[in-house]
Amino acid sequence: MSETTRSEYDVVVAVGPEGVHDGVLDLAVAEAERRQTGLELLHVVHSLVSVPVGVEAVQSLDGALTEVGRRVLTSAADRVRSRGGGRVPYTTHLLVGRVSTTIADRVPPDGVVFLERHDSADRLLTMSVSTRVAAHAHAAVVVVPAAWRRGPYEPRPVTVGVDHPDEALAQVETALAFARDTGRPLVVVHAAWLAEPYQDLVFGNTTRDEWVHDAEERLDRALAKLPDHADVDVSTAVDWRRPADALVGASLVSAFVVLSRRRERAIGPHLGAVTRTVLRHAAGPVMVVDRT
């Protein structure tokens, strides 16, 4: 997709055929205000490559799908207008194409796209779109559970997950900037854990507590290289726990959980198993970003 087909705004909300709930719109409007930009509501009608029916039937189906898109975009636009109070310009776009690819390509590289996660029978479809966008977009991707609602402001932290303590700097900087801009503390989480069959092989003469202590020290050394962050309360949490369990648990008490996508040159963008699990089960918004 060429630059001319990118959204004119840095904040994009993907609106599915079921519409989008208020929690997603609240977050998106707040992010547009923070960035001092506008907001695009985007609905993508899946392109039908081939169907075993006549031309008239295809045209009728296309018309029905388009009408669904117009209806959900109109509903979302009405609610954005009431939330923005005239401060947030917005636009709506209905496009035809491969859903996840079209969404990923629509967002400017420095932008953010919000998607909704549904925990119902259609979950496989919605998570396929969400995880593919999160893996392939060159922008931040926020996945929000459909049941999530923003309550009164609480100083809940931004939580960032770090898989390797020595590489923490590349995984933390974006989350630190987001915490600073939103006036929230930052919690850096690392789960030191090995499956039990591997523990005797790896531990040798060390203990589990020593393993955790070593991870804490390596994380502290890495974070000592962060640029000045006196204006943000930064803390760490290193526990012996499965990484996905630790991060899903953190989502219960966090404003956002921030995770990093990998970009391996040989195999392309990639979401690890932990990230995919957290996207499926988190209780609150999860932001997936590139490592710096």
Side-chain angles (χ1 to χ4, degrees), residues 111-248:
V112 57
V113 57
F114 290 81
L115 300 101
E116 189 167 75
R117 185 192 85 206
H118 294 272
D119 296 321
S120 60
D122 59 358
R123 184 178 185 174
L124 288 178
L125 174 61
T126 58
M127 283 312 300
S128 176
V129 172
S130 298
T131 53
R132 287 178 182 175
V133 174
H136 292 277
H138 290 272
V141 177
V142 177
V143 178
V144 185
W148 183 87
R149 297 291 182 274
R150 187 177 68 169
Y153 178 82
E154 299 177 55
R156 290 190 168 200
V158 173
T159 296
V160 57
V162 172
D163 52 6
H164 300 295
D166 297 331
E167 301 174 8
L169 197 63
Q171 299 174 66
V172 167
E173 285 187 318
T174 299
L176 175 65
F178 183 70
R180 176 182 291 113
D181 289 349
T182 56
R184 296 182 181 276
L186 179 71
V187 178
V188 183
V189 171
H190 172 68
W193 184 82
L194 279 174
E196 188 170 346
Y198 302 138
Q199 292 179 19
D200 290 340
L201 296 173
V202 175
F203 282 164
N205 295 323
T206 63
T207 66
R208 179 185 299 180
D209 289 342
E210 289 173 328
W211 185 276
V212 171
H213 180 67
D214 177 69
E216 290 174 334
E217 289 189 333
R218 289 189 290 127
L219 183 59
D220 287 342
R221 285 197 297 270
L223 295 180
K225 301 175 183 178
L226 278 173
D228 179 48
H229 58 274
D231 54 342
V232 180
D233 178 14
V234 179
S235 60
T236 60
V238 180
D239 296 304
W240 185 264
R241 196 176 180 189
R242 292 176 183 269
D245 291 344
L247 292 165
V248 170

Side-chain angles (χ1 to χ4, degrees), residues 1-22:
M1 181 171 284
S2 67
E3 289 297 323
T4 57
T5 59
R6 301 268 188 198
S7 171
E8 63 179 302
Y9 294 131
D10 285 344
V11 178
V12 175
V13 179
V15 182
E18 305 87 3
V20 64
H21 287 84
D22 290 343

Side-chain angles (χ1 to χ4, degrees), residues 72-95:
V72 295
L73 285 175
T74 298
S75 172
D78 289 343
R79 287 177 288 146
V80 166
R81 183 166 55 250
S82 67
R83 284 164 170 72
R87 300 182 304 276
V88 177
Y90 67 90
T91 186
T92 63
H93 279 273
L94 191 152
L95 301 176

